[in-house]
Amino acid sequence: MGQTESSRGLAGLVALMRRARAAQDAAQLGFVMVNESQQLLAYRQAALWREGAQRHVGALSGLSETDPTAPYVQWLGRLFRHLDAAADMGECRVLDAAALPAALAADWASWLPAQVLWLRLDGQGALLLARAEPWSAYEQKLAQELAHCY
């Protein structure tokens, strides 16, 4: 990674932090998280898990609203609940279907590409970024910093 790539990454991180702070409400912040984070990190799909009184999939990339009855949203809910309960998840983790129990892993290929970056959002939930290509160590560090901001 060259200095130019590093400078672009930091500039993108600062711009996204500014957009997140400017969000008027939780829905707008969720939109920034799942859609605009792509300015910094290349991914195919993103999902936001919201914690609190009612834990649920709060936002999906490319959609203005989520339908809680949709099979994809229900599967993501089961995935997030499993990941949230796992003691060894930490703040940031790269996952694939092999890291899951058989019941969740069986449907992975129907819903997600091969690689997922899971980011805990300090008691607020989690952000999931999915793509086919592996996540580099540099991308994981940028994503962790972004998650701290969100």
Side-chain angles (χ1 to χ4, degrees):
M1 169 186 55
Q3 188 172 359
T4 303
E5 183 182 359
S6 177
S7 296
R8 272 194 308 256
L10 291 175
L13 179 62
V14 169
L16 279 169
M17 291 167 68
R18 188 172 294 126
R19 287 281 298 134
R21 284 192 304 270
Q24 299 295 314
D25 56 26
Q28 193 175 40
L29 179 58
F31 179 88
V32 169
M33 288 182 191
V34 299
N35 291 296
E36 296 185 24
S37 295
Q38 200 159 37
Q39 297 170 16
L40 182 63
L41 301 160
Y43 55 85
R44 192 170 87 195
Q45 292 165 246
L48 174 64
W49 177 250
R50 294 201 184 275
E51 291 181 354
Q54 196 175 34
R55 298 174 355 159
H56 66 283
V57 175
L60 296 171
S61 56
L63 296 176
S64 59
E65 292 184 26
T66 60
D67 175 0
T69 64
Y72 174 54
V73 174
Q74 290 181 0
W75 183 84
L76 279 174
R78 289 191 303 275
L79 175 65
F80 275 116
R81 281 188 291 282
H82 168 76
L83 295 176
D84 195 42
D88 63 342
M89 287 304 293
E91 294 181 341
C92 175
R93 184 159 172 200
V94 175
L95 300 168
D96 60 18
L100 300 175
L104 283 170
D107 292 329
W108 179 286
S110 298
W111 304 116
L112 295 173
Q115 299 285 314
V116 164
L117 187 60
W118 182 88
L119 301 158
R120 186 178 297 282
L121 301 172
D122 282 341
Q124 302 300 312
L127 181 63
L128 182 139
L129 306 175
R131 69 183 192 191
E133 305 80 25
W135 294 93
S136 73
Y138 177 70
E139 289 173 314
Q140 291 176 52
K141 287 291 183 194
L142 277 177
Q144 273 185 288
E145 287 303 316
L146 189 58
H148 284 294
C149 169
Y150 288 157

